[in-house]
Amino acid sequence: MEKLIFSISLLLLLLDGCYGGKVGVCYGRSADDLPTPAKVVQLIKQHNIKYVRIYDYNSQVLKAFANTSIELMIGVPNSDLKPFSQFQSNADTWLKNSVLPYYPTTKITYITVGAESTDDPHTNASSFVVPAMQNVLTALKKVGLSRRIKVSTTLSLGVLSRSFPPSAGAFNSSYAYFLRPMLEFLAENQSPFMVDLYPYYAYRDSPNNVSLDYVLFESSSEVIDPNTGLLYKNMFDAQVDALYYALTALNFRTIKIMVTETGWPTKGSPKEKGAASPDNAETYNSNIICHTVTNQGTPSKPGEAMDVYIFSLFNENRKTGLDSERNWGLFYPDQTSVYQLDFTGKNGGFRSNSSGGNSRGRTSEIELRGALDWACGPGNVDCTAIQPSQPCFQPDTLLLPAEWGTDVACSFGGVGVKVNKDPSYDKCVYITAGGRNNTKATNASALNSSASTSHGNESLVWNLSLCLVILLSFSLQTTNSQAL
C-alpha cells in the first residue's frame, strides 16, 4: 500500500478546491419595518453572505453595498422593459445615471433585464425582454463593461411544457418567439440561463404524489429516469436537468444554468400547513446550500458547479396571495435569525453555536472515532507521521494516510465531496497508487462534520488513493465552534 500523507494546514486549500458553487441571498423589499440598507449590509456581512440579488437599482441600496466586496445582482423591473427596448438612449441614460455612479465601488456583476416576464398576466413584457437586453449590453459595451457585468433575465419553471422525466424536458412552444432569441443572446454572450425554482410548490400542490423527503433532499429512495437510467434523490436536481435537456433539445449545450431564486416558506395558509414550516425551511435551505457549495451537480452533470440564490432575506408583508407568499424570510426585521443557517455550507449548511447548534447533517463523535479506529486498524494506515516530532505533526491535528479504490468508498454514505486539487505541499506529498505525485489530482472526496468531543479542537484527516475524507470535530467547550 502506498503511503499518502497530508497536512491540516492545507485544509482551506482543499475546501476551496471543492467548494465552487456560490450561494447568494435575494434581498426583496416589499415589506414594512425593514432595517435600513446599511444595517442590512452589516447583517449580510455578519453571516458570511458574499452574493446578493436585488430586484431594482435603488440608489440607497447600491450605496450601502459600496466597499464591501459583496457581489451584487441588480434588476431592471418589468415596468422598464418597454422604454429600454424602444430606444438605445434610454438604456444609455439609465446606465450613466443609475449604475455607473456606484460602480466599481459597489461590485455589480449581473444585470437581470425583466423578472419572470412570461408569467406576467397583465402585460406583454416578454416581447420586450430581448431588445431591452441587447440595448443594456450595448450600453455596457460603450463604457467597456460588457465582460465584467453579465446581462440575462430570470424565468420560472413555467417556461417548460414538460419537466418529467428530466430527459423529456421541453420548452413551451408558445414562448418560442421569445425563448430562441433570448437563448441565442445568452449563448453568444456567455451569460447564464437564470431560473427561479421552487420544489415547494410541487409538494404543496400534490402532497399525495410527491414525497416531502424528496423535495427536502432527505429521501433515501431514488426516482429513475426511464430514458437515461439516471437516478434522482431530490426534485431540485430533476428540475435543473429538465432545463438542461430542454436546452440541449434546441442545441444550446453551452449555456449554464443559474438558480436565481429558491427556498421554502416558514408559514402558510391552512392548505399549506403540512408543508410551510420553520423546520422544513431550515432543512431545505441547509441542504440546498450544502448541495451547491460541494459541487454535487446533477445526475446528468455530476460535479458541475452552479450558483444558487436563496429567497429571501426578510418576510415581505406587502405581497399578495396565500400566506406563504409573505413568509420566506431568513431574518426578522430586528435582524435575528428565523432559523440557523451556515451560508458557507462548510458546516453541512447548518450554523453551529456554543450550545452545539443543529446537529443534522453532521457526523457524530462515535462515527468520527469509528472512522479513526478503522483507518489506523483494519484500514492498515501508518499513523506514525502524525506523532510529535514527525514530519506531518501539527498541534490538534491527526493526519492519517490510507488507500481505498472505489467511488463507493469515497462517498461515506453520500456525504463525500469530490475535489480536484492536488493538496501536496513541502514534505507532505500526495502519491497516486502508482507511486508518482499526482499533480493533476484524481478523484478526491471531502466530508465536513462537526461533533462534540472531549479532545478539544481537532481535525481527523486521512487521504485515500481515490478520495480524501476530511472529518472536522469541534469541541463544545469552544466559545465559537463554527466550522472552518
Side-chain angles (χ1 to χ4, degrees):
M1 174 181 293
E2 300 289 341
K3 184 181 297 185
L4 311 176
I5 304 178
F6 292 85
S7 173
I8 192 62
S9 65
L10 205 55
L11 178 60
L12 293 180
L13 173 63
L14 290 169
L15 292 178
D16 182 62
C18 66
Y19 284 69
K22 300 173 181 177
V23 174
V25 176
C26 300
Y27 173 20
R29 304 192 312 281
S30 297
D32 302 314
D33 301 324
L34 292 184
T36 64
K39 290 183 177 180
V40 170
V41 169
Q42 291 303 311
L43 175 68
I44 288 169
K45 292 169 64 178
Q46 176 186 342
H47 288 270
N48 299 311
I49 299 169
K50 306 295 185 183
Y51 311 92
V52 174
R53 177 190 177 189
I54 63 173
Y55 295 83
D56 55 14
Y57 41 90
N58 180 276
S59 61
Q60 294 302 311
V61 174
L62 295 182
K63 286 179 182 178
F65 279 92
N67 301 307
T68 63
S69 77
I70 295 169
E71 295 188 15
L72 196 62
M73 179 186 298
I74 67 173
V76 175
N78 290 352
S79 58
D80 290 345
L81 291 177
K82 186 174 182 179
F84 273 48
S85 69
Q86 290 178 323
F87 301 102
Q88 179 64 51
S89 60
N90 289 337
D92 293 343
T93 300
W94 169 78
L95 187 68
K96 178 182 178 181
N97 296 336
S98 300
V99 179
L100 294 183
Y102 312 101
Y103 183 90
T105 308
T106 295
K107 194 174 182 180
I108 299 168
T109 54
Y110 291 99
I111 297 175
T112 60
V113 182
E116 299 188 2
S117 58
T118 56
D119 295 347
D120 193 330
H122 305 298
T123 69
N124 192 25
S126 59
S127 64
F128 304 122
V129 169
V130 176
M133 290 170 66
Q134 291 171 335
N135 287 344
V136 169
L137 179 64
T138 298
L140 288 169
K141 286 180 176 179
K142 289 180 179 180
V143 296
L145 293 177
S146 60
R147 293 183 180 274
R148 297 186 180 183
I149 302 177
K150 290 293 184 179
V151 178
S152 188
T153 187
T154 65
L155 300 169
S156 73
L157 196 64
V159 296
L160 295 184
S161 61
R162 186 169 58 248
S163 60
F164 189 84
S167 60
F171 287 112
N172 190 326
S173 60
S174 64
Y175 299 133
Y177 71 94
F178 156 71
L179 283 170
R180 183 164 286 279
M182 185 209 70
L183 294 174
E184 289 172 349
F185 176 95
L186 298 182
E188 180 180 352
N189 296 288
Q190 298 181 323
S191 293
F193 183 100
M194 295 180 168
V195 63
D196 301 339
L197 293 184
Y198 288 99
Y200 164 78
Y201 290 120
Y203 175 75
R204 183 197 69 180
D205 297 339
S206 301
N208 295 326
N209 299 321
V210 179
S211 163
L212 179 60
D213 284 346
Y214 183 64
V215 294
L216 292 177
F217 291 81
E218 297 280 289
S219 179
S220 59
S221 59
E222 298 169 317
V223 176
I224 188 170
D225 185 321
N227 300 323
T228 63
L230 294 176
L231 301 175
Y232 290 84
K233 287 189 174 182
N234 64 80
M235 179 172 285
F236 180 87
D237 282 352
Q239 291 179 339
V240 171
D241 272 356
L243 286 164
Y244 271 124
Y245 280 110
L247 289 169
T248 299
L250 294 182
N251 203 31
F252 291 100
R253 293 179 172 84
T254 61
I255 296 176
K256 303 298 183 183
I257 290 175
M258 174 186 287
V259 178
T260 42
E261 282 185 20
T262 194
W264 201 279
T266 56
K267 182 181 178 181
S269 301
K271 67 172 292 187
E272 302 175 291
K273 287 193 180 299
S277 72
D279 283 346
N280 287 343
E282 181 180 24
T283 299
Y284 179 84
N285 285 331
S286 296
N287 286 335
I288 195 67
I289 289 172
C290 189
H291 189 72
T292 300
V293 301
T294 55
N295 279 0
Q296 293 184 35
T298 65
S300 75
K301 293 183 177 292
E304 182 162 311
M306 180 174 60
D307 298 346
V308 172
Y309 286 72
I310 295 176
F311 186 86
S312 178
L313 269 179
F314 303 102
N315 289 339
E316 297 180 86
N317 65 301
R318 294 206 300 261
K319 287 193 170 183
T320 60
L322 296 177
D323 287 350
S324 63
E325 292 299 314
R326 295 175 288 280
N327 289 280
W328 295 79
L330 304 176
F331 300 97
Y332 295 111
D334 66 1
Q335 302 172 61
T336 58
S337 298
V338 177
Y339 48 87
Q340 300 296 313
L341 287 179
D342 168 24
F343 294 94
T344 68
K346 296 175 183 178
N347 193 29
F350 289 93
R351 191 176 183 84
S352 63
N353 52 48
S354 59
S355 62
N358 193 321
S359 62
R360 214 173 349 177
R362 304 176 200 159
T363 304
S364 70
E365 178 183 1
I366 294 176
E367 292 170 314
L368 289 170
R369 283 293 151 190
L372 174 59
D373 292 343
W374 184 95
C376 291
N380 294 320
V381 173
D382 181 358
C383 298
T384 57
I386 65 172
Q387 302 302 318
S389 77
Q390 295 302 311
C392 290
F393 172 77
Q394 290 193 25
D396 302 323
T397 302
L398 295 175
L399 301 107
L400 308 178
E403 182 176 358
W404 287 4
T406 69
D407 284 341
V408 173
C410 296
S411 71
F412 277 78
V415 293
V417 180
K418 289 187 177 181
V419 296
N420 298 308
K421 283 189 178 181
D422 176 7
S424 301
Y425 82 103
D426 295 337
K427 295 182 180 180
C428 289
V429 179
Y430 177 23
I431 305 172
T432 64
R436 292 170 298 176
N437 186 32
N438 183 8
T439 57
K440 294 185 179 179
T442 56
N443 293 334
S445 176
L447 167 66
N448 282 310
S449 56
S450 177
S452 166
T453 174
S454 59
H455 298 278
N457 286 350
E458 62 183 352
S459 296
L460 315 181
V461 182
W462 67 91
N463 183 33
L464 316 177
S465 65
L466 289 180
C467 55
L468 170 68
V469 175
I470 302 174
L471 296 173
L472 303 179
S473 178
F474 295 89
S475 172
L476 294 183
Q477 300 173 0
T478 329
T479 56
N480 182 4
S481 63
Q482 182 171 340
L484 294 176

